[in-house]
Every structure is written in C-alpha cells, then in structure tokens.
Amino acid sequence: MVANDILIFNEIPKGKPVPGQTTVKKQEEFDLDQSLPDGAILVKTLALSLDPYMRGRMRDESIESYVPALKLHAPIENFAVVEVLRAGENAKFQKGQKLYGYSKFQNYSVIPKEQAESLRVLENKEGLPWTTWVGSAGMPGQTAWYGLKFIGKPQKGETVFVSGAMGPVGQVTIALAHAAGCKVIASAGSEEKIKYLREELKVECAFNYKTEDPNKVLADWNQKEGRPFSIYVDNVSGAQLTAALAHIARRGRIVAIGSVVDYHGEQHGIEGVFQVVAKELTWEGFLVLNRMTPELFEQFYAEVPPALASGKFARPKEHVTIGLDNGEAFAALFDSEASNFGKAVYSFE
Ligand SMILES: NC(=O)c1ccc[n+]([C@@H]2O[C@H](COP(=O)([O-])OP(=O)(O)OC[C@H]3O[C@@H](n4cnc5c(N)ncnc54)[C@H](OP(=O)(O)O)[C@@H]3O)[C@@H](O)[C@H]2O)c1
C-alpha cells in the first residue's frame, strides 16, 4: 500500500474557484498490487496540467457545453504525463513508458482500457521536462500552433499582438511569431512578467494591461512602425479585444482562443464590433481538440518539441507546484493579483 493524494471537485464555484472549498485534497491508500480489469493499466503521475478551461467544467452536469462537466465529489481530471508501473494484460504498453493524455489528479491511478488506448506514448528523444509535455509541447502549445498557423497566417514583416502572453499559449505564440519573421506586441498583468517578456522572450513591445491603456500602446506602435499590427491572438477578450478591433490593420486576423475575463461569471461588453466589417477582418474562434487531426498532431510534434529542445524557441517558463495542493495552483489562473508566472503545472518528480 502507498499513500495516494487526490484532488476532489468538492463544490460548484459561484465565481472564482476557492481552494479548500471548490477543490479539496484528500489522501487514500492505494494498492500497487491490486488486480487490474481487462486492458487497464496502473500508472504513477509525473505531471498534471492546470488549464483555464477547467473552470468551465466546474458546473452543474445538466448544463451543456463544449466539454463535459467534471463529476462532483470525484477526482479532478485533465491532461497529464503518467508512467506505466504495470501494463497488466494490455499488450500495447510496457512498464516504464511515459504516456500523455487524460488522467485523474492523484499520485497513482488505474486507467481503464478504453481511456488508456487514447494515451500517446512519449519517447521524449528531445529530453524535455515532463511538465513541458503538458504545456508548450502539449495541448496549450498545440492551441497556439494551430491558431497562429491556420487562422493568423503570419507573413514576414507583420506584427502579432498577443494577450495573456506569459501563459503557455502566449509563450508559444511569441516563439512561432518570431520564427515566422514577425514582430510581437505582448501584454500581461505584472511588471515581473513584462520584464521577462522583454528580456527573455525578446518581444519588441510589452505592456502591463493593468497600468497601461492598450489603445495608446497599440496606436503608438502603429505610428512608430508606419503600419498597423495585423494579427491579434486573443486569450483574454474584454478591453484588450476592444482596443485590438480599433487599431488592427485592414484585412487583419483575430485568433479567438479564450476569454479569461469572462470565465468566472461576469460578462464584459466589446465595443467596435463593426470594425470586423469595415476593415474586412477575419475573426475566428476554434477548439483545438476539434481541429487537431492525426496528421496535424504529427506535424506539431515534429516541429515544436524539437524547437523547444534546441533553443530555437525560448525555454518555456513554468510555474511548478510540487505535489497536489488544495487547488491554490488552479485558483491562481484566475487571480489577476497573484496569478501563475508561466505555465501552471503540478510536478511529482
Ligand atoms: N480554444 C482552445 O481550444 C483553447 C485551448 C487552450 C487554451 N485556451 C485558452 O487560451 C487562453 C490562455 O490559456 P493559458 O493556458 O495560456 O492560460 P494562462 O495564461 O496560463 O493563465 C491565464 C492567465 O490569464 C491572466 N488573467 C487572469 N485574469 C485576467 C484578466 N482579468 N484580464 C486579463 N488577463 C487575465 C493571468 O495572467 P496575467 O498576470 O497576465 O493577468 C493568468 O496567468 C485561455 O483563455 C484558455 O482558456 C483555449
């Protein structure tokens, strides 16, 4: 028997998630020698991803949405890297393999056959930390990659504006934009993040959306460059989207990825929507899980993890919590005062 920490979805939040209330850690005993159902595998968790979309899963199960609701009083689940301790009767897996996909927020789990078969074996020839495989080299990285490549369609010499820039989607967007020969305007919510964006990620313009007016920053940039920025990768919506609509170039592209300002109930109006018509903008939202085909996954894995490993893309900044907490690491995603500095992950190594 070993001790198994488990993070439980305890209560549907009214606004922002509250650690110890919305989510509660408990400990149970786990039998590493238990008999496994047909095709099930027994795994140890190495890394777990904390993603803003999980807030939307914390709802009443009767409310329909694009992802199923989490089960109340059951373990939280999300993207993970796990190590196979016992492959049981499942010939597809071997002890010691590292797998990427959905798993429960607990140290040890038994993954049923059908779910196990959906997991991807990570060879990790690149030697990246396991946490990176749920971040820049995982679902958030795929989101940035798909959004910029297929909706943003960057051309050399253009400028890309990205909000939520220190999260994993933002960081990969910056790397891809630079690799495409574009300049980058990036926004985030603290001076520490702005310094990092300028000094480590080498963005051409970084601003703190809490202390600076995005309208002024974007207008000044356009004037200085002599041409407006033409792509906005929108992770947050709200006032920054309003400013982007006002200052983006004709025939610009808005990649609608997320709307962090709206995730805990309050809705924020957007002004200037007519600019979509007047400037003939493309404004497209997408769900990465519906867009990534097997061929696109292979393209992504061939391109992004090697670029992260070789240093062509900046080393991902990760906000690592060692072991499970009561949900503080998750709540920080929505706390603009004390938010995560980099990709939020749990590590168990
Ligand atoms: N469409 C898809 O398929 C898809 C897939 C993955 C992710 N997403 C979306 O992509 C976006 C970025 O995800 P991520 O994992 O990279 O998140 P993240 O940046 O790690 O976390 C969210 C960030 O939002 C910022 N924030 C919090 N409150 C804010 C506010 N009121 N206004 C502006 N920013 C605020 C915080 O940073 P600051 O310090 O900068 O405030 C926080 O770090 C999210 O909207 C997510 O839901 C979409």
Side-chain angles (χ1 to χ4, degrees):
M1 289 287 181
V2 287
N4 199 18
D5 285 343
I6 305 174
L7 190 64
I8 299 289
F9 175 33
N10 184 57
E11 186 185 286
I12 297 171
K14 294 212 171 57
K16 295 182 186 182
V18 182
Q21 197 172 312
T22 310
T23 45
V24 174
K25 182 168 83 165
K26 70 171 189 181
Q27 197 176 72
E28 287 180 356
E29 293 217 307
F30 185 87
D31 181 1
L32 291 172
D33 300 316
Q34 64 188 270
S35 67
L36 295 176
D38 188 28
I41 58 174
L42 189 146
V43 300
K44 177 182 187 303
T45 306
L46 299 181
L48 287 168
S49 180
L50 293 152
D51 294 294
Y53 90 100
M54 293 162 64
R55 169 64 185 83
R57 299 191 66 189
M58 294 177 168
R59 62 177 194 273
D60 191 291
E61 280 185 85
S62 65
I63 302 169
E64 294 267 326
S65 185
Y66 66 96
V67 271
L70 287 169
K71 290 230 173 307
L72 204 52
H73 308 305
I76 308 269
E77 53 180 25
N78 194 31
F79 294 96
V81 175
V82 298
E83 176 177 348
V84 180
L85 295 187
R86 289 174 50 212
E89 302 297 308
N90 196 323
K92 193 180 160 196
F93 299 109
Q94 291 160 22
K95 183 175 174 352
Q97 278 177 326
K98 313 295 188 295
L99 311 176
Y100 170 70
Y102 255 59
S103 191
K104 291 183 173 147
F105 276 39
Q106 44 194 52
N107 298 102
Y108 300 94
S109 300
V110 172
I111 302 183
K113 180 170 193 263
E114 202 178 312
Q115 194 182 339
E117 311 256 296
S118 72
L119 302 178
R120 180 186 181 93
V121 178
L122 296 175
E123 289 181 30
N124 199 5
K125 290 188 204 124
E126 299 84 357
L128 294 171
W130 297 116
T131 48
T132 301
W133 289 98
V134 297
S136 295
M139 184 278 286
Q142 290 152 12
T143 305
W145 181 82
Y146 182 92
L148 195 64
K149 193 178 181 83
F150 295 104
I151 301 172
K153 298 181 183 153
Q155 301 294 313
K156 193 171 178 203
E158 289 186 315
T159 297
V160 177
F161 167 36
V162 58
S163 53
M166 272 311 299
V169 175
Q171 291 183 53
V172 177
T173 300
I174 292 166
L176 291 165
H178 279 156
C182 296
K183 293 180 180 173
V184 177
I185 307 168
S187 68
S190 74
E191 290 311 312
E192 202 186 9
K193 290 183 181 180
I194 299 309
K195 186 168 185 287
Y196 194 91
L197 285 163
R198 286 189 186 131
E199 293 177 7
E200 304 295 328
L201 303 188
K202 313 277 184 221
V203 303
E204 285 72 14
C205 171
F207 72 96
N208 182 339
Y209 68 89
K210 292 178 188 163
T211 56
E212 289 179 76
D213 175 2
N215 280 292
K216 180 165 177 358
V217 174
L218 297 175
D220 287 353
W221 172 270
N222 290 350
Q223 195 182 26
K224 184 174 83 61
E225 281 294 293
R227 66 185 276 201
F229 71 93
S230 47
I231 300 169
Y232 174 43
V233 176
D234 185 15
N235 287 314
V236 303
S237 180
Q240 297 192 69
L241 174 56
T242 292
L245 283 165
H247 299 285
I248 197 167
R250 278 184 62 75
R251 302 270 169 106
R253 286 84 72 199
I254 299 180
V255 186
I257 289 188
S259 184
V260 174
V261 299
D262 294 329
Y263 284 175
H264 22 76
E266 293 166 44
Q267 296 296 305
H268 295 75
I270 298 156
E271 293 166 30
V273 174
F274 182 65
Q275 294 302 327
V276 179
V277 180
K279 292 181 181 168
E280 299 184 90
L281 304 178
T282 299
W283 183 5
E284 183 175 339
F286 71 100
L287 295 170
V288 70
L289 299 178
N290 294 344
R291 299 288 179 104
M292 292 295 285
T293 61
E295 294 72 31
L296 291 180
F297 276 121
E298 293 321 311
Q299 273 185 44
F300 170 84
Y301 283 114
E303 192 181 323
V304 175
L308 292 166
S310 69
K312 182 179 173 204
F313 290 2
R315 190 184 163 162
K317 173 89 174 120
E318 296 175 348
H319 189 111
V320 180
T321 302
I322 304 292
L324 290 170
D325 56 10
N326 260 319
E328 286 85 352
F330 177 62
L333 289 172
F334 309 97
D335 182 346
S336 54
E337 296 311 309
S339 75
N340 49 309
F341 187 0
K343 165 65 188 151
V345 277
Y346 287 122
S347 172
F348 299 84
E349 290 185 88

